[in-house]
Amino acid sequence: MFMPALIAMLFSAVSVAAQEPPDRPPVSQCQAIAQALPRVTFASFKPTDVKKAQLSDREEVKIQYIGHSTYTIESPEGVVIATDYNGVYRPPVMPTVATMNNAHTTHYTLSPEPEIKYVLHGWSDVPGDKAVHKLEVGDVYIRNVTSDIRNRWGGGGLLTKDGNSIFIFEVAGLCIGHLGHLHYELTETQYAEIGRLDVLMVPVDGGLTMGADSMSRIVKRLRSALILPMHQPSALERFLVAFGPQFKIAYASDPVIRVSMRNLPKQPQILVPQGM
């Protein structure tokens, strides 16, 4: 009796899967873990029994700071992403994907190079809507979580709903998050939508986005293994002193930061990239 029932269940599962639309976006591994275990503290995978060998090209992600809030992320298959691309700080190679935010002109351009295959706005051009991105490019899955921004041109402390996007890049088992031009502390819903982040790109400036204390609370809550600052180098020291001894502070010795699941730091680390 057990085997026929099991076979029937398997055929039923196959039938349901066959009915699902073929263009359904992939499941976010970073988000799925957060939704399944809402009360746990996330920890990055850190093998203790594995002898660290030379990293395989298939598991290594290359990250480079270009300027302001622009980082490039290069996947093992060669997909190059430029974050908060404004056309001024240009990567050494043409990116496949450019993500942008419209807090002000230093975080986007309306005239990107036509060779950039995918241009993802962090805002919606339709009033009342928000940007939704669920895009698979090669070996990278890109999604976003929106947040409000202060309307610096409207005066009176007005805000623009969903004017910023936190872009999340899932590649080689890593969850990499770029906070964009974040103006407000995150809500519980936003934390759940973000999920686990192994690598976090954080704006530091002490006023244009958020103060060092507020930003440090977000960083501590997300519990990423590797934190990469960006935005305003002049505010870097104020940002660094906001963290306690549980965070290690290091300075990159090479322009290209090579990251994999194997070499994530065991202690949360703020790594200051060259050029910041």
Side-chain angles (χ1 to χ4, degrees):
M1 294 295 290
F2 175 77
M3 287 303 295
L6 177 60
I7 292 172
M9 289 173 62
L10 290 174
F11 273 112
S12 175
V14 170
S15 176
V16 169
Q19 295 173 12
E20 291 178 350
D23 58 348
R24 180 180 179 183
V27 174
S28 164
Q29 297 303 313
C30 313
Q31 192 178 37
I33 294 173
Q35 291 176 343
L37 301 170
R39 296 182 182 276
V40 304
T41 297
F42 301 108
S44 302
F45 171 70
K46 305 179 184 69
T48 55
D49 300 326
V50 179
K51 184 177 180 180
K52 290 191 177 181
Q54 186 173 0
L55 295 176
S56 165
D57 289 341
R58 293 178 299 173
E59 61 184 22
E60 186 178 75
V61 177
K62 299 174 184 177
I63 300 174
Q64 184 173 358
Y65 181 65
I66 306 302
H68 204 55
S69 292
T70 300
Y71 273 95
T72 58
I73 303 167
E74 182 177 347
S75 78
E77 290 186 6
V79 176
V80 178
I81 302 158
T83 65
D84 268 18
Y85 183 73
N86 60 14
V88 176
Y89 298 97
R90 298 188 178 187
V93 297
M94 186 65 65
T96 315
V97 182
T99 64
M100 302 178 184
N101 280 287
N102 73 337
H104 45 74
T105 53
T106 57
H107 292 256
Y108 76 99
T109 174
L110 297 180
S111 303
E113 290 83 347
E115 293 83 3
I116 301 176
K117 191 171 182 180
Y118 302 97
V119 176
L120 307 182
H121 290 173
W123 69 95
S124 173
D125 293 321
V126 179
D129 285 358
K130 64 181 180 179
V132 177
H133 298 292
K134 295 180 180 180
L135 178 66
E136 197 169 14
V137 182
D139 56 341
V140 186
Y141 176 42
I142 305 170
R143 61 187 179 89
N144 72 309
V145 175
T146 60
S147 67
D148 302 337
I149 60 174
R150 294 186 300 274
N151 184 357
R152 65 193 298 244
W153 307 119
L158 299 177
L159 63 79
T160 299
K161 290 286 293 179
D162 301 307
N164 174 70
S165 276
I166 298 164
F167 280 97
I168 299 155
F169 312 95
E170 304 188 20
V171 53
L174 293 164
C175 303
I176 302 172
H178 186 286
L179 292 180
H181 207 273
L182 191 66
H183 288 183
Y184 298 101
E185 293 201 34
L186 300 175
T187 65
E188 293 299 322
T189 298
Q190 288 168 325
Y191 279 117
E193 290 175 344
I194 291 167
R196 184 188 103 238
L197 291 180
D198 303 298
V199 181
L200 180 64
M201 299 167 181
V202 183
V204 297
D205 59 45
L208 294 175
T209 55
M210 295 172 60
D213 290 341
S214 297
M215 195 64 75
S216 69
R217 283 195 293 271
I218 292 173
V219 172
K220 292 172 183 177
R221 171 68 183 271
L222 287 170
R223 294 186 177 273
S224 303
L226 186 64
I227 298 98
L228 303 175
M230 59 185 183
H231 203 220
Q232 294 290 348
S234 60
L236 180 61
E237 290 304 317
R238 292 198 303 273
F239 176 76
L240 295 179
V241 299
F243 293 87
Q246 68 269 34
F247 284 81
K248 180 180 178 181
I249 297 173
Y251 294 82
S253 58
D254 192 274
V256 178
I257 301 166
R258 300 171 186 270
V259 187
S260 79
M261 292 296 287
R262 291 194 191 199
N263 71 0
L264 284 172
K266 294 181 179 181
Q267 178 184 0
Q269 181 181 99
I270 302 171
L271 181 62
V272 180
Q274 289 193 7
M276 176 62 187

